[in-house]
Amino acid sequence: VVAARKNLQAQIESEKRLEVLVENIKYLIEHQQLAGSDLLQPLAQLSSQVVSRLAAEQTYYDSLQDLKFAMGEWDENAPCED
């Protein structure tokens, strides 16, 4: 669970950095410092990072459920909590 949580946090931080990069590039494009096509690659990277973050979230919640099950605290209807 700890490793899954650390991985999730790393994915979240990476996504935030890419969001800042995209915003900075948009600003430069608006001020005619970069061509509009320069935004395509960072947007693709951001989309890929979102998918990676979602996969990390799923892995984290799966590991929480596995831990709860192993501890005998399994409740099929209860939502996962951090």
Side-chain angles (χ1 to χ4, degrees), residues 8-23:
L8 175 57
Q9 188 61 37
Q11 297 298 330
I12 290 169
E13 290 171 8
S14 180
E15 183 178 344
K16 287 178 183 178
R17 285 191 302 273
L18 281 168
E19 288 172 347
V20 169
L21 175 64
V22 166
E23 289 306 312

Side-chain angles (χ1 to χ4, degrees), residues 2-82:
V2 174
R5 178 69 179 175
K6 286 182 180 181
N7 181 43
L8 175 57
Q9 188 61 37
Q11 297 298 330
I12 290 169
E13 290 171 8
S14 180
E15 183 178 344
K16 287 178 183 178
R17 285 191 302 273
L18 281 168
E19 288 172 347
V20 169
L21 175 64
V22 166
E23 289 306 312
N24 289 340
I25 291 173
K26 285 180 179 180
Y27 175 84
L28 292 171
I29 290 169
E30 288 173 10
H31 291 86
Q32 300 177 349
Q33 300 296 314
L34 290 175
S37 61
D38 289 334
L39 186 59
L40 297 177
Q41 184 64 36
L43 283 175
Q45 290 172 325
L46 179 58
S47 296
S48 177
Q49 185 57 41
V50 168
V51 170
S52 294
R53 190 226 344 125
L54 291 171
E57 283 181 1
Q58 185 63 50
T59 299
Y60 173 67
Y61 289 118
D62 286 348
S63 66
L64 276 179
Q65 288 178 342
D66 290 344
L67 178 61
K68 286 181 179 184
F69 182 75
M71 294 173 60
E73 296 183 16
W74 178 256
D75 182 0
E76 182 174 309
N77 299 317
C80 280
E81 299 175 4
D82 288 341

